[in-house]
């Protein structure tokens, strides 16, 4: 009969067994003198440390060589120094080597994962003298709006569809408090670091989730590494969804570890039926214990609902998927989550909720439209096109690797079925709504934690496996693992930095925009090609905004024939109208295919030539005109 699993796996997943004294030295036992521990470090440990130091030195030296102020169509891709790219060779090599001892020294892969996060996400925070992602300044404007007024107006119509931020204000009220606590002028002083902060916070949450299904630290850290490289979506910037995503994963971690129903594990309680790397099913909990857990995580569920519109829906979808399993059939938690969401949607968020429900009449069932990318035209320019192609390749790479694990690690898949269901749960959202052209990216993001785990499982075989075929598989993966990680690193950069020319705005351009909007009289109309430039929605509670190129391309072709007349016919008599055209707008409209080649220059020249549009400010990065009927 199979032997019941009562604790950790009988065979360590790392496949190693060490004397107690050696293990004490490796784990930093204070009884062992530091000098002795250093002297007795093995060559592999010295190599692990040395490669990390080498990567850090190369990366640090390379950053000042990055000429980010003169980016072309390839963004930062051709501005990074060769040393920058080369620094990821020792970084990846050191990580792969550190995995060999992950069972006894898991902190080394952890350090490497943090180093990877900093290496791929921190360059813009360190280099840029302006806000990365022009639309992030919109969120800074919301915080400033709340600090200035000290109150919310959830049912007041605000320009630029900004009412939703007063209806879901959790993230912004939190940062308003942080601005006061830190004594800084605005969130602009730290918002570029959001991706690094979010990334560091998500690591321990992912570890908790992955350790629920595997005892193999190699698999855990390989999954974290793949998650970081595959997370090119760009939703971890200073935004409500970035914070809500971490809370979402934290709730899933609690559910997966503490909501197992008694008697639901069945044969998975036996080590004989588990993959050698699989963890035993967590201990079951009673109804009372689960009720206490619901009470504990209810504030986190509420915080998500206070901050973001889509994440609560994704949480409900994930919980529904878990309820399909006997192991996690907890309808009470799902009901509580749904009630909290509906209470918020029908009170503070009612205006947008009603609007969204009405839009479902057109979007529901329209799979092709709902899965389209978030731009109206066709990507143009070498950098944006390369980024789009790299995005597709990165998705396919993760899917193919995860699919291979479903075939090669069937026993692991069986025990980790809840994680697989949670990862697939967002896919049906394509049948509901396009979420402003972002549903494709959100479905990928919410499915990524599980996909990264199974992708890693395909590359990190169980060390305890024996047999002719298993040995051959381990030899193949010994080569496939470093090659796959290097390929993911290579794919990350065009996916994440290929359109960087649209994401960086020179301070002089921002200063010109700030001056124009700051001097505009109350109730004036601000016109611009797009809203993708810093300060675009500053004073959104006092001014009207019209981003007149953010429409279907045929209408923009019509507008270009006579832009002065096209805009003038839609400006109410007596309204002070100010047109702001900047280089960042030009780059964005070209990259997203909103205007034909040369269309923005044509738009600007025709408006400047019109006697009804007077130039009131200009510099090398843009022009400000005032309309006179």
């Amino acid at each position: 009969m199979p032997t019941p699993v009562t604790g950790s796996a009988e065979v360590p997943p790392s496949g190693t067994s060490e004397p107690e004294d050696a293990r004490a030295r490796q784990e930093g036992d204070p009884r062992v003198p530091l000098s002795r521990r250093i002297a007795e470090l093995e060559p592999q440990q010295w190599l692990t440390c040395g490669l990390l130091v080498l990567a850090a030195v190369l990366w640090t030296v390379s950053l000042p060589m990055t000429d980010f102020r003169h980016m072309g169509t390839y963004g930062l891709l051709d501005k990074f120094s060769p040393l920058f790219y080369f620094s990821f060779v020792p970084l990846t090599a050191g990580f792969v080597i550190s995995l060999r001892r992950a069972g006894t020294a898991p902190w080394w892969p952890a350090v490497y994962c943090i180093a990877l996060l900093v290496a791929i996400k921190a360059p813009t925070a360190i280099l840029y003298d302006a806000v990365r992602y022009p639309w992030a300044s919109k969120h800074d404007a919301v915080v400033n709006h709340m600090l200035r007024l000290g109150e919310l107006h959830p049912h007041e119509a605000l320009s630029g569809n900004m009412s939703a931020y007063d209806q879901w204000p959790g993230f912004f009220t939190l940062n308003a408090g942080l601005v006061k606590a830190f004594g800084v002028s605005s969130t602009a002083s730290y918002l570029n670091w959001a991706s690094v902060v979010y990334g560091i916070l998500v690591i321990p949450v992912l570890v908790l989730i992955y350790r629920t299904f595997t005892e193999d630290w190699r698999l855990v850290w390989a999954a974290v590494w793949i998650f970081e490289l595959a997370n090119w979506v760009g939703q971890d910037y200073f935004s409500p969804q970035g914070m809500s995503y971490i809370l979402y994963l934290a709730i899933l971690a609690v559910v997966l570890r503490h909501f197992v129903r008694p008697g639901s594990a069945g044969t998975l309680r036996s080590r004989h039926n588990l993959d050698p790397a699989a963890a035993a099913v967590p201990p079951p909990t009673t109804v009372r214990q689960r009720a206490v857990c619901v009470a504990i995580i209810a504030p986190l569920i509420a915080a998500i609902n206070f901050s973001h519109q889509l994440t609560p829906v994704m949480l409900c979808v994930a919980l529904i998927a878990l309820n399909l399993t006997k192991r996690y059939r907890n309808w009470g938690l799902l009901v509580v989550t749904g009630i909290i969401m509906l209470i918020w949607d029908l009170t503070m968020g009612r205006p947008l909720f009603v609007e969204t429900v009405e839009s479902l009449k057109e979007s529901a069932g329209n799979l092709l439209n709902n899965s389209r990318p978030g731009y109206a035209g066709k990507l143009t320019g070498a950098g944006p096109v390369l980024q789009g192609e790299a995005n597709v390749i990165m998705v396919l790479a993760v899917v193919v690797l995860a699919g291979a694990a479903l075939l090669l690690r069937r026993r692991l898949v069986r025990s980790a079925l809840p994680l697989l269901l949670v990862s697939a749960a967002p896919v049906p959202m394509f049948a509901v709504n396009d979420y402003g052209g972002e549903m494709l990216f959100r479905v990928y993001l919410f499915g990524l934690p599980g996909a990264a785990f199974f992708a890693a499982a395909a590359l990190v075989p169980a060390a305890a496996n024996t047999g002719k075929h298993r040995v051959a598989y381990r030899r193949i993966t010994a080569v496939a693992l470093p090659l796959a990680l290097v390929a993911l690193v290579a794919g990350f950069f065009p996916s994440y930095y290929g359109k960087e020319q649209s994401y960086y705005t020179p301070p002089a351009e921002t200063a010109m925009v700030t001056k124009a909007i700051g001097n505009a009289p109350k109730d004036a109309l601000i016109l611009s090609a797009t809203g993708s430039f810093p300060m675009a929605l500053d004073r959104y509670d006092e001014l009207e905004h019209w981003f007149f190129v953010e429409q279907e391309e045929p209408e923009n072709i019509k507008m270009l024939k006579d832009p002065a007349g096209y805009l003038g016919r839609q400006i109410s008599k007596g309204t002070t109208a100010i047109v702001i055209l900047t280089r960042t707008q030009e780059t964005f409209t070209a990259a997203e295919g909103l205007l034909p080649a040369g269309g923005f220059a044509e738009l600007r020249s025709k408006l400047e030539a019109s006697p009804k549009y007077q130039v009131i400010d200009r510099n090398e990065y843009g022009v400000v005109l005032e309309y006179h009927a």
Side-chain angles (χ1 to χ4, degrees):
M1 294 179 63
T3 303
V5 175
T6 57
S8 60
E10 294 177 5
V11 179
S14 61
T16 60
S17 170
E18 299 177 291
E20 188 65 31
D21 185 56
R23 185 175 300 161
R25 289 195 298 272
Q26 291 165 359
E27 296 179 357
D29 192 324
R31 295 172 297 178
V32 181
L34 178 61
S35 58
R36 181 182 173 188
R37 294 203 301 269
I38 294 176
E40 296 184 4
L41 284 176
E42 298 179 7
Q44 181 175 305
Q45 294 171 306
W46 281 109
L47 183 60
T48 302
C49 181
L51 288 172
L52 181 62
V53 172
L54 175 61
V57 170
L58 292 174
W59 185 85
T60 303
V61 170
S62 71
L63 279 189
M65 304 177 185
T66 308
D67 186 15
F68 65 91
R69 293 184 179 85
H70 300 92
M71 286 185 285
T73 185
Y74 284 104
L76 284 175
L77 295 181
D78 58 349
K79 298 302 178 182
F80 282 133
S81 164
L83 286 179
F84 175 82
Y85 292 112
F86 185 73
S87 69
F88 288 88
V89 175
L91 185 65
T92 304
F95 174 72
V96 173
I97 293 172
S98 73
L99 288 181
R100 297 178 181 178
R101 305 183 69 88
T104 55
W107 57 82
W108 272 117
V111 170
Y112 267 93
C113 284
I114 294 174
L116 173 69
L117 174 69
V118 173
I120 62 178
K121 297 289 180 71
T124 52
I126 295 173
L127 294 173
Y128 283 6
D129 49 8
V131 172
R132 183 179 188 250
Y133 291 139
W135 44 90
S137 67
K138 174 174 64 175
H139 297 156
D140 179 50
V142 176
V143 175
N144 293 336
H145 163 74
M146 292 183 174
L147 287 171
R148 186 174 68 252
L149 296 183
E151 58 184 359
L152 300 172
H153 300 279
H155 303 296
E156 179 180 338
L158 297 173
S159 177
N161 297 319
M162 298 295 284
S163 303
Y165 294 117
D166 275 19
Q167 296 165 21
W168 278 269
F171 171 79
F172 303 105
T173 53
L174 170 64
N175 277 277
L178 292 177
V179 168
K180 287 187 175 182
F182 293 158
V184 295
S185 58
S186 71
T187 60
S189 60
Y190 61 80
L191 62 79
N192 276 358
W193 287 96
S195 60
V196 177
V197 173
Y198 287 157
I200 291 175
L201 291 177
V202 83
I203 288 177
V205 182
L206 288 174
V207 170
L208 284 175
I209 293 175
Y210 296 154
R211 286 288 288 175
T212 305
F213 301 104
T214 181
E215 293 180 345
D216 191 341
W217 278 107
R218 300 172 307 146
L219 177 51
V220 170
W221 290 116
V224 171
W225 185 276
I226 291 174
F227 175 88
E228 291 181 356
L229 290 175
N231 186 16
W232 47 261
V233 186
Q235 294 300 321
D236 55 354
Y237 69 105
F238 181 75
S239 64
Q241 59 265 35
M243 181 187 76
S244 298
Y245 185 65
I246 297 174
L247 297 178
Y248 162 87
L249 292 177
I251 292 171
L252 284 186
V254 173
V255 173
L256 293 172
R257 296 179 72 86
H258 300 292
F259 277 75
V260 176
R261 294 174 61 87
S264 61
T267 58
L268 292 179
R269 288 292 179 195
S270 171
R271 169 55 65 186
H272 177 73
N273 296 313
L274 293 175
D275 183 281
V281 176
T285 51
T286 64
V287 173
R288 181 177 180 181
Q289 288 173 323
R290 293 196 297 274
V292 171
C293 284
V294 171
I296 292 174
I297 64 177
L300 296 182
I301 297 172
I304 292 176
N305 282 275
F306 298 166
S307 303
H308 198 231
Q309 305 88 18
L310 182 63
T311 307
V313 178
M314 291 296 194
L315 178 59
C316 286
V317 169
L319 294 178
I320 291 173
L322 287 177
N323 272 276
L324 298 177
T325 68
K326 184 179 179 182
R327 203 185 314 175
Y328 293 103
R329 193 164 294 155
N330 296 286
W331 295 105
L333 175 62
L334 177 60
V335 169
V336 169
T337 303
I339 289 175
I340 293 175
M341 180 177 67
L342 286 176
I343 288 175
W344 191 267
D345 287 346
L346 296 176
T347 54
M348 285 285 287
R350 180 178 176 81
L352 183 59
F353 177 72
V354 172
E355 180 182 331
T356 302
V357 171
E358 291 177 350
S359 70
L360 293 180
K361 298 176 184 178
E362 298 181 0
S363 62
N366 192 345
L367 296 177
L368 291 178
N369 183 71
N370 294 344
S371 59
R372 66 179 176 85
Y375 41 80
K378 181 180 180 181
L379 290 176
T380 58
V385 170
L386 177 62
Q387 183 184 47
E389 294 172 347
N391 292 349
V392 174
I393 293 173
M394 290 288 281
V395 172
L396 291 177
V398 174
V399 171
V400 168
L401 287 173
L406 299 185
L407 297 175
L408 300 171
R409 306 288 295 273
R410 285 189 289 255
R411 286 199 294 171
L412 178 63
V413 172
R414 185 184 172 210
S415 61
L417 179 62
L419 184 57
L420 177 63
L421 291 175
V422 166
S423 300
V427 174
M429 294 299 293
F430 284 132
V432 179
N433 195 274
D434 71 339
Y435 199 64
E438 293 189 9
M439 187 60 75
L440 176 65
F441 304 111
R442 302 303 174 90
V443 167
Y444 172 77
L445 180 62
F446 280 90
L448 183 57
F453 176 82
F454 291 108
L459 297 170
V460 183
N465 281 355
T466 58
K468 181 178 180 181
H469 297 295
R470 297 296 184 183
V471 171
Y473 176 41
R474 290 172 59 184
R475 289 175 177 173
I476 292 173
T477 55
V479 177
L481 174 63
L483 290 180
L485 297 187
V486 169
L488 289 174
V489 170
F492 173 85
F493 289 108
S495 294
Y496 194 71
Y497 287 117
K499 291 168 58 178
E500 204 64 29
Q501 188 183 23
S502 301
Y503 302 158
Y504 170 74
T505 302
E509 177 182 325
T510 302
M512 182 187 72
V513 173
T514 302
K515 177 182 176 183
I517 293 181
N519 292 337
K522 189 175 181 179
D523 298 325
L525 173 63
I526 305 297
L527 297 90
S528 54
T530 78
S532 295
F533 63 100
M535 309 304 292
L537 284 160
D538 195 34
R539 295 180 61 197
Y540 63 87
D541 57 326
E542 299 178 343
L543 305 172
E544 291 294 322
H545 296 80
W546 178 22
F547 308 129
F548 55 86
V549 172
E550 293 184 355
Q551 56 189 355
E552 296 298 327
E553 188 177 8
E555 187 66 19
N556 285 331
I557 299 298
K558 174 183 175 183
M559 180 269 297
L560 278 178
K561 295 178 180 179
D562 179 23
Y566 181 92
L567 300 179
R569 287 190 293 271
Q570 300 181 62
I571 298 175
S572 301
K573 187 176 180 180
T575 299
T576 300
I578 297 173
V579 183
I580 302 176
L581 301 175
T582 68
R583 190 187 72 174
T584 302
Q585 295 177 51
E586 180 176 13
T587 302
F588 183 84
T589 55
E592 301 296 335
L594 295 172
L595 292 173
F600 191 90
E602 179 183 353
L603 166 68
R604 174 174 172 173
S605 63
K606 287 183 176 179
L607 288 179
E608 288 185 281
S610 172
K612 293 185 177 182
Y613 293 84
Q614 178 185 354
V615 176
I616 59 176
D617 195 8
R618 76 162 73 236
N619 62 23
E620 60 181 311
Y621 300 108
V623 63
V624 179
L625 306 101
E626 184 172 353
Y627 172 74
H628 297 279

